[in-house]
Amino acid sequence: MEKIFKLTDDWGELIEHSIIVPFGIGRIGRRVIPALMEQFDIPFLIDNGCHKEKVCGLEVLNLEQAAGYLREKHVKVIVTTVFYSYEKIRKNLETLGFIENKDFCILERFAEEWNLRWRNKCVLSKIDTVITSRCTLKCKHCNMFIGHAPKQFDIELNRLRNNFDIFFESVDYVYEYTLLGGEPFIHKNIAEIVSYLGDRYSEKIGRINIITNGTVVPEDEVLALLEKFHVTVHISDYTCSVDYKKKLERLQKSLLMHNIEYYVIPNNTWKDVVYPRDGYQTDNPKKHMLLCGHSTHSVADGRLYWCDPAFAAECFMGFTAKEDDSFDMATNKKSYSKYEATLNIIKYLLGDVNERGYMKICEKCAGVGSDNDRIVQAGIQIGREE
C-alpha cells in the first residue's frame, strides 16, 4: 500500500448511506455538510462549542454527549475544520481513546484517500483560484502580498477558463471551489468567470465561494449569477483598521435582497508571514510547510500549488520558484492511468510535493501555522503605523 495512505482498511466498508458523523460546524462544516448528507446518513453533528440551534436540520452535540454512540456503533468521524483547529480536536478525540485514521480523520484525507482507494475517483476538499491582484485595500501584512506587488492586474478570462478546463479534466468532484484576489468583485470579467464555472462545472462542485473584503457591491448581473449558482460570499471584515462599515452594510443588504448566502468573518488579527520582507529563516522547511495550517490549495494555469501564497509570490511578486514546487495537471493526465494520475495529485496535496518535501517559498514565508507567533492587527494599510 502507498505510504501516503493512512486510513485503516475498514474505511472501505463505507458505502452509500453508511452512517458517518461530521465534527465541526464552522465555515467549512456548514459548507460541506449538505454534500456529505447527500451521500451518507448523518444522525447528528459534533462541535466543541455550545449550540442550541440545529445545523442543516441536524442536532449538534458536544464530544462528551456523542462519544458513547460513536463507540457503540463504531461510527467514523469526519473532522470538517481547518488544520490548526483539527490538531486540537485530534487531541480531544485521542484523549477519549479514539484513534486517528481508524476512528476519525480530517476531511481532506477522507475526500482524497477514501475516494481514490475505494471508488477510483479524484475528489478534493477545497481548491482556490486567484483571479486578480487588484484590490480596493493595500494591506501591509496581506498574505497574498497584494499591497507590495509592483503591478496589479486581472488574470485574463481565457487564462482562467483554460485553468478550469484542465482542472476538471482530472478532478471528478471538489467540495469547495473558491475565487479570490485581491478583490474579486472588481475583476472586469467577474460575471463571465462565475457564469463559466457555474454553467460548465457546477455538478462537479459542492459549493462555489467568493472571498471579498466587503468594500464593493457587485452589479445586478453578477448578483443574479451568484444567486443562480448558489455562490456563498465570505466577507473578510477589516473595519478594525479601515473605516468602511457603510460599504459593508450596503453589500450585506444587496446579498440579502438576492437570497445569496454570506458570512461576515471578523478579522482583528493576522499572523505576519514576513515575506516579502527579509527576516524569516527556518532550519526545517519541510516541517514548517506541513505545520503552516493552510487548509486549502490553489490551482492556476492548470498547475496545483500547495497554498495560495505560493502562487501569489510567483505570479505577483516575481518570486523565483523551483519547477517542481507546483504540479502540472495536464502532463500528469496524459502520462498516467486515472488511478495513477489521481494518486500523484493526492500525494502532492497531502504534502509529498517534491523530493525536497517543501516549496522554495517556505524558506522565506513564516506561514500561518502553530510555529508562527508573530501577531499583527489585520488590515493595517501600507503607510499607516500599527
Side-chain angles (χ1 to χ4, degrees):
M1 187 173 71
E2 290 287 340
K3 291 183 179 179
I4 199 71
F5 293 155
K6 295 184 178 180
L7 297 179
T8 54
D9 289 342
D10 59 334
W11 284 80
E13 297 172 11
L14 289 179
I15 58 174
E16 188 172 0
H17 298 305
S18 290
I19 297 175
I20 66 164
V21 174
F23 192 141
I25 60 169
R27 294 192 300 273
I28 292 177
R30 289 172 187 258
R31 295 193 300 251
V32 304
I33 286 167
L36 291 171
M37 290 174 68
E38 293 179 4
Q39 190 174 4
F40 300 101
D41 288 343
I42 300 176
F44 56 84
L45 306 172
I46 306 175
D47 194 81
N48 279 329
C50 179
H51 302 277
K52 295 181 180 179
E53 69 194 289
K54 288 188 175 182
V55 173
C56 299
L58 297 171
E59 185 179 5
V60 182
L61 307 181
N62 60 41
L63 180 54
E64 290 184 0
Q65 292 171 322
Y69 178 90
L70 299 178
R71 291 191 187 97
E72 180 183 351
K73 302 293 185 181
H74 303 288
V75 173
K76 303 297 186 185
V77 174
I78 313 298
V79 182
T80 53
T81 67
V82 295
F83 180 74
Y84 54 79
S85 297
Y86 173 74
E87 285 296 280
K88 181 178 179 180
I89 292 170
R90 177 181 61 80
K91 291 177 182 178
N92 291 339
L93 285 163
E94 289 178 339
T95 297
L96 293 177
F98 297 102
I99 301 172
E100 184 180 24
N101 299 320
K102 179 181 185 299
D103 302 311
F104 68 93
C105 71
I106 196 167
L107 174 68
E108 181 171 16
R109 176 163 295 282
F110 172 75
E112 295 167 12
E113 180 179 338
W114 183 80
N115 280 284
L116 174 59
R117 286 178 64 184
W118 291 291
R119 299 178 72 207
N120 194 28
K121 287 190 175 184
C122 185
V123 176
L124 309 182
S125 59
K126 191 175 188 301
I127 292 291
D128 291 352
T129 287
V130 181
I131 66 173
T132 184
S133 66
R134 294 198 298 134
C135 194
T136 53
L137 301 178
K138 200 170 184 179
C139 300
K140 181 177 180 180
H141 298 287
C142 174
N143 70 6
M144 299 297 287
F145 324 121
I146 300 301
H148 300 277
K151 293 182 181 180
Q152 293 193 343
F153 58 91
D154 291 339
I155 306 294
E156 296 87 353
L157 179 60
N158 286 338
R159 183 176 166 187
L160 290 168
R161 287 172 171 168
N162 187 55
N163 175 62
F164 298 148
D165 292 343
I166 293 172
F167 178 79
F168 284 107
E169 283 177 1
S170 294
V171 175
D172 296 303
Y173 188 84
V174 58
Y175 280 94
E176 296 185 76
Y177 201 114
T178 301
L179 304 174
L180 70 156
E183 172 48 55
F185 283 140
I186 63 174
H187 193 296
K188 61 182 179 295
N189 298 119
I190 185 61
E192 292 88 345
I193 294 167
V194 173
S195 180
Y196 191 86
L197 188 61
D199 279 330
R200 292 198 173 221
Y201 299 115
S202 59
E203 291 185 358
K204 288 190 166 190
I205 303 171
R207 183 68 61 95
I208 300 173
N209 304 312
I210 289 181
I211 297 178
T212 174
N213 60 30
T215 60
V216 178
V217 178
E219 296 181 356
D220 287 344
E221 178 189 8
V222 176
L223 290 167
L225 288 167
L226 299 181
E227 182 179 10
K228 176 182 178 180
F229 295 115
H230 307 290
V231 176
T232 301
V233 177
H234 301 267
I235 306 170
S236 296
D237 178 0
Y238 305 130
T239 56
C240 65
S241 299
V242 185
D243 184 11
Y244 62 92
K245 291 181 180 179
K246 290 183 178 179
K247 292 181 179 179
L248 194 152
E249 289 170 358
R250 286 199 293 270
L251 173 60
Q252 290 177 266
K253 183 177 179 180
S254 295
L255 297 174
L256 280 171
M257 289 176 61
H258 287 80
N259 299 309
I260 297 166
E261 184 176 3
Y262 72 90
Y263 298 94
V264 178
I265 309 165
N267 281 261
N268 296 317
T269 60
W270 281 342
K271 290 196 174 186
D272 179 6
V273 298
V274 181
Y275 181 85
R277 311 186 318 275
D278 291 328
Y280 177 74
Q281 292 182 329
T282 175
D283 296 329
N284 191 339
K286 181 177 181 179
K287 180 180 179 181
H288 170 59
M289 187 192 82
L290 295 176
L291 283 174
C292 183
H294 276 284
S295 59
T296 184
H297 309 287
S298 195
V299 60
D301 300 322
R303 299 186 71 89
L304 285 171
Y305 290 79
W306 170 259
C307 63
D308 299 323
F311 167 74
E314 186 177 324
C315 184
F316 302 151
M317 299 300 298
F319 180 81
T320 304
K322 291 186 177 292
E323 186 176 356
D324 61 1
D325 281 354
S326 59
F327 181 88
D328 187 338
M329 297 190 74
T331 299
N332 181 60
K333 178 177 172 59
K334 292 176 183 177
S335 303
Y336 297 94
S337 68
K338 176 178 175 58
Y339 179 89
E340 292 171 325
T342 301
L343 179 61
N344 292 337
I345 291 171
I346 289 174
K347 282 182 176 179
Y348 181 87
L349 296 181
L350 291 178
D352 188 7
V353 294
N354 50 38
E355 289 186 2
R356 298 185 311 281
Y358 66 92
M359 301 173 300
K360 187 178 177 183
I361 188 65
C362 297
E363 299 173 344
K364 299 288 185 179
C365 179
V368 295
S370 58
D371 60 341
N372 181 1
D373 58 2
R374 301 169 177 84
I375 304 299
V376 294
Q377 182 175 326
I380 289 290
Q381 300 296 286
I382 291 178
R384 291 181 56 189
E385 294 297 324
E386 298 179 43

